[in-house]
Amino acid sequence: MRVMSQMAMVMNLDKCIGCHTCSVTCKQAWTNRAGTEYVWFNNVETRPGLGYPRTYEDQEEWQGGWVRKPNGRIALRAGGRLKKLLTIFSNPKLPSIQDYYEPWTYDYETLLSSPQTDTFPVARPKSLISGKDMNVEWSANWDDDLGGSHEHAARDVMLRGIEDKVKLEFEQTFMFYLPRICEHCLNPSCAASCPSGAIYKREEDGIVLVDQDRCRGWRMCVSGCPYKKIYFNHKTGKAEKCTFCYPRIEVGIPTVCAETCVGRLRYIGLVLYDADKVLEAASIEDEHDLYDAQRACFLDPEDPDVQRAAEAAGIPADWIEAARKSPVWALINRYEVALPLHPEYRTMPMVWYIPPLSPVVDVIRDTGEDAEERGNLFAAIDALRIPVEYLANLFTAGDPEPVTRVLKKLAAMRSYMRDINLGREPDESIPAAVGMSGEDMYEMFRLLAIAKYDERY
Amino acid sequence: MTDLENQLQKALIGGRRFFTKAEVSDDLRTLHKHGGRQGDVFYRDRWSHDKVVRSTHGVNCTGSCSWKVYVKDGIITWEAQQTDYPSAGPDRPEYEPRGCPRGAAFSWYTYSPTRVRYPYVRGVLLDLFRAAKQQYGDPVVAWGSIVQDEEKARAYKKARGKGGLVRASWDEVAEIVAAAHVYTVKRWGPDRIAGFSPIPAMSPVSYASGSRFLELIGAPMLSFYDWYADLPNASPQMFGDQTDVPESGDWWDAGYLIMWGSNVPMTRTPDAHWMTEARYRGQKVVAVAPDYAENVKFADEWVTTAPGTDGALAMAMGHVVLKEFFVEKNVAFFNDYNKQYTDLPHLICLERTADGVYRPGKYLVAGDLDHPEGGAENAMWKPAVIDAGTGEVRIPQGAIGHRFGDEGLGKWNLELGDIDPALTMYDGVRESVEVELPRFDEPDGKVRHHRRGVPVARVGDRLVTTVLDLMLAQYGVPRDGLPGEWPTGYDDPAGPSTPAWQATHTGVPAAQVERLAREWAQNAIDTEGRGMILMGAGVNHWFHSDQIYRAMLVLTTITGCQGRNGGGWAHYVGQEKIRPIMGFQHMAFALDWHRPPRHMNQTAYWYVNTSQYRYDTFTADDLDSGTGVFAGKSVMDLLAQSVRLGWSPSYPTFDRSSLQLADDAEAAGMEAPAYVASELKAGNLRFAVEDPEHEDNHPRILSLWRSNLLGSSAKGNEYFLRHLLGTDSAATAVEAPPEMRPKDVVWADKAAEGRLDLLTTLDFRMTSSTIFSDVVLPAATWYEKHDLSTTDMHPFIHSFNPAIAPPWQTKSDWDTWKVIAKKFSELAVDHLGTRKDVVAKPLWHDTAEAMATEHGVVKDWKLGPDHPDGCDPVPGKTMPVIAVVERDYTQVYEKMTSIGPLLEKVGMLTKGVAYDVAREVDILRTRNGVVHGGAGDGQPKVETDVQMADAMLHLAGVSNGHLATQGFRFLEKRTGTRLADLAAEHEGKQITFADTQVAPVPVITSPEWSGSESGGRRYAPFTINIERKKPFHTLTGRQQFYVDHDWFIGMGEMLPVYRPPLNMTALFGEAPIGEQNELGVSVRYLTPHNKWSIHSEYQDNLFMLSLSRGGQSVWVSDRDAAKVGIKDNDWIEMVNRNGVVAARAIVSHRMPEGTVYMHHAQDRLIDVPLTERDGKRGGIHNSLTRILMKPNHLVGGYAQLAYFFNYIGPIGNNRDEVTMIRRRTAKVEY
């Protein structure tokens, strides 16, 4: 056992209102400068949708992350090939600026400085790349709220294979939001892609950083990251990425995106894991097993053996204590409601998500049945507007079973709590039906709903 | 993998081992490194900062979020939310962190290229002024020489909006603005000047800057809440309250939550988490929305109503609740509540019509009866019930008749004593009659009638029934033995208001409605009233919004949910609680110096002064219910009537200067009220509204601050440009033909163009208002000044503080208006001196003036005393109150910056509660210092924004426990119930400005509001009314479903009734929805709130533009887009009679067919091309709208239907409009 500690995040998508405050506060703090105009360390995507940069999840196209070879070992999907070395100066597997978006501004000055004319003055868009007039045709969040859905959402990579389940028709509409930062993976393919050794994982907290002095601007990391969360600063010629706000984390303040999240859906916490197990877990054969395999790498901070090993590994006592109190640990392993984003990339991502509930579809509605009715409680999960298959493509490599399990827990919690809310006797059969005790369910409720500042971070 | 590749990989990746001290894993996967504190010093530098300052964002957003503003090297760098709100309680979520992406992007403005850094004047005007001043020397004379010269005036007015702004010095602009004001006061009178600054809650000191100056000179402030169509007239109608709603923390308490036309994640971003979190308590959440709005994602069910049909949905839910829980079952919880707190048991007289049927008529009141109380004081203002036990007619306490006068002392309360009011006269049916009830559910919106029986009792020769009995008939809930046309069941689609009937209007399945209604009522029983409806612009911005709301409020009220934590209505659009309302009102409107103030309803103001009435072919006849109440009248006629009867305010008031009028009265040796009445009666004096195109009656000066009227709220934008400003306009509507024109109002051959002589805007950024302004003054931003902030969404007061001093030549609003006031006072020495000013004021709510119109029977003095519907003009009774105010115009600056003597002399009055504030004024003398010399000699200073903030906090109950307790003691005398204990826990608490700088401070329970926060509970409205039996401010003192004013009865709106969206085809000849022609396809045109802006603020912010589509856009359904070949991001053009919009399309399947959304207030300054039709700059969202007023919003002088600022009045509704939309084919040019 080799105990290491990792700073990790869980986002509860069931609470995300898609407001993008996280994106703006992050951008204002970190990437509001020349060379990073198009860069959003934190972005929020409407799903179904193309994401940022467009179709980043299409690894056939972008070749990010790891693949498991027939010999059972993992290799960089884009790396290890002769071709890659030969093309090091013109890496072909990079999103173009158009795939992100061409940043622009406006000639705002005209509004004040316009001489007297025949019509009312207007500020026109100007490219921040070329300085010329431009037509705005794509932005950092173009398909927000299903905008242009037939052209964009329809090409969502995650819809492949479930086209029969998702119709982009008014009556069947669904959407949800996916806020994304760097995953600070346990098995980061960006780092493995870097020819300069400039990307490293901080030993004490697992934050993945680009050493700005060492980076030579090869951009192999951009290709290597399947989440496309490393960006190229075209002014400095170096790669930049989400730093998990280490200058804040180091002094005990949560990340900007988490503290400013008005949905109160972000949790930050320390997770202890066994570094010796990571490669094996990332190499497991069946993609559906990756979720459990990654969880198996995590170490129970209540386990005295783990505590001893952590101490031996030089992890300070207060960090071990922090791991015990970690909401991230609780959501991932105790309540088992958080899931990794794209485990099939085999990077062992460390920003996890609680999948969203959604309104029931019309078929239930029209019959006049009450989804709150206990008998309908779990049947309603199958009738939610967001197809479980779609969520499974995001969080469990396509396995609907863990997603269904989480959604049932959330639904059960609501049902269980309603009795308590109304001053009735709680029905212990409800938590039991999802394999939880009443106490655990109540504690989970407190963490998800009351979610005080000190308990989120 | 080949060996070669393996080796290369090792060379590439494994090579790291030799170049780094960090640890590379054996499998070469990953590199661990301890620290990073050297390599990434860049990010640590980036994070470092010098200080963090608490501030917030003002105006037009209910968030009132406290922010941390980061400053480094004297430069504002970024902002993030504060997280230090006092706890909402150990067992519930907290208010941290409040904020949204718009607010988070605010600091961009500080140094942005759209920042107004210096004062600007339109070049043409500046040249004219400089030349005139050169010629005349005196700036006032110089101004006069320009505006009196038709050619010169036209020259600068025509140039409005078309560039050519040039820099000028502060001295020079202050002189121009002050000279224009002095000239206008002198030549036309002070009520020809007006100011508009919206929603003070989120920066009351900044609001008060201009309003205090303007009220001191006698200029009216224009309202905002009604103008925005955010005022739900249903609230004054039903509750006698402007609006009072729960804080968002109270959503947590609800057992059932319906979000109805309120897109919480978008429009209440910082509050939305309370909803998402409350679901985890087992709260059921329902979203009612025509599109898949952001909030739908969180609901258990999505109810997809057709736009504007929500009234039908609410009526059908009411039908089910009434049938199952009032007729089939007897629910004690509901019955008890309604007997005590609503008018359901009150008696309504049935009036027999000529053809022998009955119509619902007036409340039976004590004064109608041979009854022990028949001769008591205010007997005509005390409605009656029948006791269920004895069958006797009884007069419950608590009506408006008990609120005023000596006899009511100690009796104005809701205790029923030994009365058990009968909810119904249905008692095995003693007797019943058929009543004729109106219905408006045909597509043309015109009235039809049907007859339904109600059980009746006889009181003397009167036939009476209860409000509940009428409601059951109105809702079509049958009872055995009653005659008339009744639905056969829920599945009968023929008549109102069955579930099947609503389905034909809303498209919502009947079964869903039945179930939701049942769940709603059952939840109310299970939770004792913890069912809540969040309602918003989606249902409130319609022409008939009051009816939509009344139908919804039936649901929250008959089920006993009002006045509960976790229950009742939660109206969230434009409602903004100025928590320290009392201190605010007295300071902002200079009530410490002069009373009464001039307050104007803005909708009516612009309906008249932008000549929109001339295009109104929607006659009042269209709105009556076959009663002939408005026969032959236009809406303009009704407005004129409302003004002359003292119901509505109207400025400019008379066709004579109000200063002149005072002189004339003196010359005639008469008191002003008598003089005005006699002159009116003789026809020598007329109301300005009766001849609005005449130059004597024009408004001349408008000042905007904290406001973007022309880019945001100006319904009928193109009419503003033409008739108010005299510049280019895209409206093509033709004026009303002679038979549709007003009768009592002069019809000029040609409408005036360019009425305004001066438009001044204070702003920190360029907007559609600044580009049209003659003078643009550079304002400090919200991070550059002191102010206060409150909201009804949370219970805290917090502050604005300057992170940096105002840069360049910018000034705070407070300092700017001081500069103008000073210059004005100087120029007034030669031109004005001290003058008397005749102020006409409407009959006010919460005063005895509201008892002017017995039984709501309209008597018009214009008809003369001999006419059956006529009377004499009596100021304060049958016409406005006439008051005389003496104004020393040379002392305006001194008065503005000191607290006047009236507070100590006559005290303060807010919502009918009187306060003695001598103690508070003395404290302010000590705290703020004392003025020496001038008009304010010996008075407390209010020179600075902080001093003004402290004055407001000391003079309000929510922030001064002493005053709160004093107010409750005053009320205790009137109600005879215990109240003062509500504030006693904080009697010694005084919130100061310094306190608000440290952290947000929770407020104190005060009679200024209707809810109790005592003991740290969450705020919910009307909890004091329900728990302490304090009456509502209505006629009956109860929550009132029935309104018996003549105009309401005439319009068939005594009770909630379904009125569909206006039929724009029938009224204005627009193409019916769905029709296609060369202009594209006709669609319903809605302008909901924008995700990327707060009204027009932020829509020009580069961050918001980068996260959205980069310019004006319109959401259209994929189905409509396909019809006319529109693809996503295509340029489109929208045209109707009011104007043209050029924008881009966002095509999405989340939009319903037949409806487009143009998110409102995108302004016209960002990437808007010339239109295909006109070759002129494309319009804003309001280029396609026009003001339409609903007559019963003009009613006044009658109990809760009496005027107060932003409390009641015609609304600037905008949702009933339609437009053509098509793909642009011409080249896009700018």
Side-chain angles (χ1 to χ4, degrees), chain B residues 778-907:
Chain B
T781 68
W782 302 324
Y783 294 170
E784 296 158 6
K785 61 182 177 185
H786 291 106
D787 212 322
L788 294 168
S789 179
T790 64
T791 174
D792 35 23
M793 305 309 297
H794 67 60
F796 311 112
I797 302 181
H798 58 103
S799 58
F800 292 74
N801 295 283
I804 58 170
W808 299 287
Q809 292 188 2
T810 60
K811 288 185 196 296
S812 69
D813 294 348
W814 180 254
D815 285 341
T816 296
W817 282 105
K818 270 170 51 184
V819 167
I820 292 169
K822 189 147 207 163
K823 194 76 199 167
F824 178 96
S825 304
E826 286 165 25
L827 295 177
V829 172
D830 284 346
H831 290 279
L832 291 167
T834 299
R835 298 290 303 267
K836 286 198 173 125
D837 180 13
V838 171
V839 180
K841 170 194 91 67
L843 307 165
W844 269 358
H845 180 53
D846 286 333
T847 71
E849 291 163 16
M851 296 191 297
T853 319
E854 287 177 2
H855 271 319
V857 173
V858 180
K859 301 277 184 199
D860 190 342
W861 57 261
K862 194 153 195 172
L863 299 171
D866 302 330
H867 191 282
D869 297 327
C871 60
D872 269 322
V874 182
K877 189 80 182 163
T878 65
M879 60 168 279
V881 173
I882 302 293
V884 178
V885 175
E886 187 174 278
R887 304 185 196 277
D888 181 350
Y889 283 112
T890 69
Q891 292 292 308
V892 170
Y893 175 80
E894 282 71 15
K895 290 180 177 181
M896 183 175 169
T897 54
S898 62
I899 292 180
L902 285 185
L903 296 188
E904 285 158 300
K905 269 189 205 152
V906 291

Side-chain angles (χ1 to χ4, degrees), chain A residues 216-227:
Chain A
R216 294 289 172 268
W218 295 120
R219 288 172 279 174
M220 291 303 171
C221 53
V222 179
S223 307
C225 173
Y227 301 96

